[in-house]
Structure formats: C-alpha cells, structure tokens
Amino acid sequence: MTPPRERRRRGADGVSAAPRLALPRRGSVRRSQMITTYGVGSLIAVDNESFIVSGIDDAYRTWPLDEAPIVHEHRLARVLGVSHFRLPPASEDTSKDGVRVRRFPLWHSCPKCQSLQHVRGFNPPAGKNVCTDCDDEPLVPSRFVVACEDGHLDDFPYWKWLHRKNREEGTTGHCGGEMSMRFSGQSASLRSILLSCTCGVPEASMEGAFRRSALTDLGVRCEGRRPWLKDAPAEFCTQAPRTLQRGSSAVWQPVLKSALSIPPWSDGIADKLASHWDRLRSLASREKIEIYLMGAFHDDDTISVDTVMALLEAEQAEDPAEEGAGNIGTANRYQALRRQEYERLCAGNAQRDRGRGEQFVCEPPDTDPGALIPFGVEKPMLVKRLREVRALKAFTRIADPESSSDGHEAALSLTPTDWLPAMEVHGEGVFVRLDENRLDDWAHSVAVAARVERMRTNHDRMLRERATDPTEVPSSPATPRMVLLHTLAHVLINEWSLEAGYPAAALRERLYADAGMAGLLVYTATSDSAGSLGGVVAQGEPERLAEALRSALRRATWCSADPLCVEARSTGANLAACHACAMLPETSCEHNNILLDRALLVGTPDEPRLGFFADALSH
C-alpha cells in the first residue's frame, strides 16, 4: 500500500507545525502497519520516491513519549528478553515527530533522458528527487535490489551486470562511461528492460537477473550492508545474494510474537511494578519486599505485599525450565506462554470477580451447551474482554520466518535494546474447545493419519528447500489435531464474516493445538472500535454457535473449484483448500494459509468418514 501524500500539520493556533528537527515529512501510515507491513528494515514507497525504515537505536530520542507510549506485557517481555515495548508514533496532523526513514535504493533512472546512476549524480536540490538536466523531471528509484538470507540489502550492481561479458580477464576499474536504461515496450518481461553504456559495450537486458545463481556466477558477493541502521559497518557475509523486486514481499517479512494479557498480569498492577522487577526478584524475604514497597509506593494503596508475592510466585511457576536445564530457548518459552493462555481460557475469569481495570474477562455462556454435543465441541467460552500485544522481534529477507533459524533474523538496532516496537489490540472473542477423547479416536484413523502425513512430508520438504541450512529447520507442526483446528478456525471466520457483519480481515485465529490442548480462539484483530461491539461474543452462544458450525461445515462440503479442489493431489502444504473455500486474508491466519484441508472436516466423496464432523452433518 502506498502511503498518502504529505499532509500539512497545524497546531492549536492554526499555524502549520513542524517536526522537532524540521525534517521533511514523507507520507504517513497507520500505527499498526509499522509492525506488520512497514516495520524497521522494510521498503516504503511514497509517491515517486522510495525509502527504508530506520532502526530503533535513536528512537528514544526521536519518538516522543506522548506519541509513542510505553506498553507493558510481562509474559511476552520475559520471552523476548526485554523490559517493555513501545507503540510506534502515530501519523496524525498534530504529530511532532515520526519514524525516521532513509532514501533507498540509491540508484535511480530518469524517464526523460534515460540516464541510470546513483542519485547523487543527478545533482538534485536538497530534499528533492529530480533530474536537474531535464527540468526537474522526477526520478524513478531502481526497481531491483539485492538481498541475502542474513537480511543484508544493497543496490543492484547494474554496471557489473551490463559489462559482465565484455571485460578482459584480470581487468579492474570501471569503464568511465555513462549508463542508461530504456524500455523497448515489446512486452512486460525483463527482456524489455535494456541497459546500455557510452563505452560501447553491447546493449543487455535484465533477463536472467532473478536466477538463484545469477549474481554468484557474475562474481558478486554479499557486501553485508545494512542501510536501515545508521553508521552500521559492513558485515562479513557468506550468503549468496539474490535479485529481488523492490516491492516484493520477500524483501521484508516480520518476525512477530504475541501474547494475551491473562491473570494475574491483566489487572494493571504489574505495569506499575515494571521498573522494579529486578530489585523485587533480588529481595529474599517477604519483610524486605514489604519495606521496599513502603518506600517506592508509599502513596499507592493498590499495591500490596500479598499482590507482589503472588506475582513473583506466578512468574516462577510460568518458567518452563526444569531443574538443572540452564537457559531455555525462546521457542520453549513461547510454547509455555501459549499453554498458560489455554489453561486460563478453559478456566475462565468472571467479570464479577475482577475490577474495572481487568483486561481479560472470559465466562461460559448462560444457556445449555447441549446443542454442541453432536459436533464434539465442549462448552465454549465467551471472551468478553481481551488485550493482545504483538511485538516486532526481528525480520527476515528471502526466506520466510518459519523456515529460517534465529541466526538469519536481522536485528532492529545496531546495539541491543531493552525494548521492542509493538502494538496492542483490545477486543473480544470466542474460545472453542473440542472433545479430546473423540479427537484422539479420530486422529488414530489410518486414513486421517496418512492424509496428514502427506501434508507434513510436503511441508518439511518446502522448509528444507527454502532454508540455507536444512539441518537447522524445525520440523513441520502438521498433526491431525493442528490441521483440523486450523481449518475449522478458517471456515468459522468465513461464516462469521457473513453472519456477524465483520470483514474477514477484522477477525483473527489463535490456535492451541499441541499435546494436551485442543482449542481455538477467534477474536477481533483490529485496534479500532470494531473490537468492542459485542458482535463476536454473541456468536459464542451455544445455539447460535451450533447453527454457525452447521452452516460453515455445509459450505465446506462444496467449493466452486471442485472436483479439482477436494481431489487435490498437491505437492504443497495444503490439500483440499483454496481461495474459494478455506483461505483467509493474511492478517487473519497464524500460519500463512498453509496446513489446511477441509476434507478433514467433512470428508470426501470417496471417504466421507474421513471428516471429524461427518456424523454431525449426517443428522
């Protein structure tokens, strides 16, 4: 999405307000996009210019606290090894400052004189991006960039590409000519993009530049550049560089981690203690903690020693480390975080037992859940109030986050920080849990196991092919339980988008599918008023939920792409799933629309008993 044009900001007196350092403003984006779409290290197009979002090293100096407030989520902060989070600055008319960007790529072309060179070669005036030889004709940023799987980014080596077959062995230095780029207009392919040089070398096209080994064969190696980090030295890199289109999703993919605020961390008291945790953990006795609290919170009677002791005990209980295990990985901590959420969603948290500041309210419906018994669904839980914090941990290039190890994640800053950018969502949802005994019996079916094993094998192969080091790739999470819950969440979201009036992109899934867990949470995923209207919670009433399940499953029995869809023999990570039946907007899905198979819900014409809900549909 291209941000809107630059807007003038006006102060209270009607006079245009300027940024703190009088820097030019280049467009605006929504705050949530600074985490999911235009985060640190990503490329952003503004009119005819292109920029890269700067790192967070100087953010505490450039992000005003009133526009980029501190956000606390204790459990997620512990998993990610930080003390707190911050919301990115909002792009409002009254904003004093914003997120810093740098011009990238630096190679540009002029559509009028067809010159191709570094932007400095055009001698543009300060703050402008024009060709001074062509009456201030706007320049066009390079369509192509070079990236590697370690996250490095650089300009495309146009000179080496053009002169690759016209240099004598051992010759060094440039030819001294001036390059140009033109479009033949014969087609929309790379063959129509032609490069030439005044030194007289034959004209060459961009055809073949996207081959995996194109730059390696040319002798181009990754220079280890990190243009999003100020004054960052080039790193030694052994990864093979790849040519990418500037607007490709492979140029930047966020590594996001999220958590729900659950008791005892959801009443706001833990936030007041945020800057005191290290000291409180070091105190050995209840008496010392009480003395410390009397000094630090003498005028706040909401914080008691009993509350602090309970929080410290909860923190220790939530640590999944075993005795003598030493440090545990982020993946294990994150898995434990999900298990804590599942237990709390099952147990509930009644509103009458909590104060007005409680951020997590989860209650069972008042009506009889008997209508859900044929579907194998346990009593649902109505999550009337929830808060989710999503943090940008890092980002990747070329390889998607699930097929890359931590070593291939590019950092958001040059030096480690004790915080990360994040966004928070307040909303509501419905938690649906399946009967585990019935689920286990179904999962042990030979036909079900064979179908899921085919998906798992395909997914494992895809992960290995995308990864630099196949030995470091985690195995596919595909299990009968996971695929069933994932597909069920998708068809429910599609159904509720029709029944409740929510767009599918405003709803989001959260899966709990590991051993001992068999639930899914569908909740509002936007940070606006759509998250608190009550329309999603109303869908969790047993009678209405049963009707929604019946309707969603009947829709899943047929797809406009059948019989090709349901009889798919795909080599990908999906089987009976396509954009016409089971896929969702990318903001709604936790797994990038993979590991889906509606046949596990409703069966196939040849194997109707394959579906978990086959009996419910027959009644």
Side-chain angles (χ1 to χ4, degrees), residues 225-472:
R225 291 197 172 96
R226 296 170 288 173
W228 66 96
L229 300 178
K230 182 180 180 182
D231 301 326
E235 294 182 318
F236 175 75
C237 183
T238 59
Q239 297 293 332
R242 294 273 302 276
T243 304
L244 299 174
Q245 290 223 48
R246 173 165 50 91
S248 168
S249 61
V251 171
W252 189 85
Q253 297 183 73
V255 179
L256 298 174
K257 298 296 182 182
S258 67
L260 301 181
S261 296
I262 59 173
W265 310 101
S266 56
D267 59 3
I269 294 179
D271 295 352
K272 299 179 181 179
L273 297 166
S275 60
H276 302 274
W277 282 116
D278 290 339
R279 179 60 178 154
L280 290 170
R281 293 188 192 104
S282 67
L283 299 176
S285 65
R286 177 187 178 92
E287 290 74 19
K288 291 183 178 180
I289 291 177
E290 187 171 10
I291 294 172
Y292 180 84
L293 293 177
M294 290 176 62
F297 300 96
H298 61 277
D299 58 347
D300 190 344
D301 57 3
T302 62
I303 300 178
S304 65
V305 64
D306 291 332
T307 300
V308 174
M309 294 298 294
L311 290 173
L312 289 173
E313 291 175 4
E315 185 179 85
Q316 292 180 340
E318 290 173 356
D319 195 336
E322 299 178 357
E323 293 185 8
N327 293 330
I328 57 176
T330 301
N332 291 333
R333 283 187 178 274
Y334 196 64
Q335 186 178 14
L337 181 147
R338 281 294 178 101
R339 186 169 296 278
Q340 296 154 17
E341 293 177 4
Y342 180 78
E343 293 171 355
R344 177 53 65 177
L345 285 165
C346 292
N349 191 46
Q351 188 169 9
R352 63 178 177 273
D353 300 333
R354 301 290 174 176
R356 295 181 62 182
E358 179 60 43
Q359 297 169 330
F360 180 83
V361 175
C362 178
E363 300 175 339
D366 295 330
T367 54
D368 182 14
L372 297 171
I373 293 177
F375 297 96
V377 174
E378 301 282 355
K379 192 171 187 177
M381 299 295 284
L382 309 181
V383 187
K384 298 181 179 180
R385 191 183 303 164
L386 65 81
R387 172 181 179 263
E388 180 194 22
V389 174
R390 300 177 198 156
L392 177 62
K393 174 177 179 275
F395 65 88
T396 64
R397 302 198 195 277
I398 302 178
D400 57 77
E402 67 174 7
S403 66
S404 62
S405 64
D406 289 346
H408 295 302
E409 293 179 356
L412 306 183
S413 58
L414 188 57
T415 56
T417 63
D418 66 345
W419 66 280
L420 290 172
M423 63 173 292
E424 59 179 349
V425 173
H426 295 271
E428 60 182 7
V430 175
F431 177 66
V432 177
R433 183 161 51 112
L434 299 183
D435 184 333
E436 290 204 46
N437 293 327
R438 179 172 168 179
L439 185 58
D440 287 339
D441 292 342
W442 167 82
H444 290 151
S445 165
V446 174
V448 170
R451 192 172 179 93
V452 174
E453 182 59 30
R454 179 147 54 106
M455 298 174 66
R456 180 185 180 88
T457 300
N458 292 342
H459 191 212
D460 278 333
R461 175 182 50 77
M462 291 169 59
L463 294 178
R464 288 193 301 270
E465 288 176 352
R466 294 173 183 172
T468 304
D469 186 355
T471 61
E472 295 182 356

Side-chain angles (χ1 to χ4, degrees), residues 31-147:
R31 173 177 276 166
S32 61
Q33 289 180 304
M34 298 307 302
I35 303 297
T36 58
T37 310
Y38 299 125
V40 171
S42 66
L43 297 181
I44 178 170
V46 182
D47 296 335
N48 63 317
E49 299 178 279
S50 176
F51 302 93
I52 189 168
V53 180
S54 298
I56 61 174
D57 293 279
D58 296 331
Y60 250 99
R61 181 174 58 85
T62 61
W63 293 10
L65 280 173
D66 58 338
E67 296 181 6
I70 292 175
V71 174
H72 294 289
E73 173 45 53
H74 189 79
R75 295 165 59 246
L76 184 60
R78 287 193 73 212
V79 169
L80 299 180
V82 297
S83 63
H84 62 279
F85 307 98
R86 288 192 68 182
L87 296 179
S91 296
E92 303 291 345
D93 285 344
T94 56
S95 298
K96 301 170 189 165
D97 240 322
V99 175
R100 302 299 170 85
V101 297
R102 301 171 183 273
R103 190 177 299 283
F104 190 88
L106 297 178
W107 275 71
H108 288 60
S109 61
C110 174
K112 193 170 183 179
C113 66
Q114 300 182 345
S115 177
L116 172 66
Q117 58 184 320
H118 193 284
V119 67
R120 288 196 302 265
F122 292 98
N123 296 317
K128 292 189 177 182
N129 192 41
V130 296
C131 178
T132 54
D133 293 336
C134 298
D135 299 326
D136 291 343
E137 178 75 17
L139 298 176
V140 178
S142 170
R143 283 176 52 187
F144 311 107
V145 295
V146 173

Side-chain angles (χ1 to χ4, degrees), residues 489-504:
H490 277 228
V491 299
L492 260 182
I493 288 175
N494 279 328
E495 182 66 24
W496 284 348
S497 70
L498 298 174
E499 288 293 320
Y502 285 86

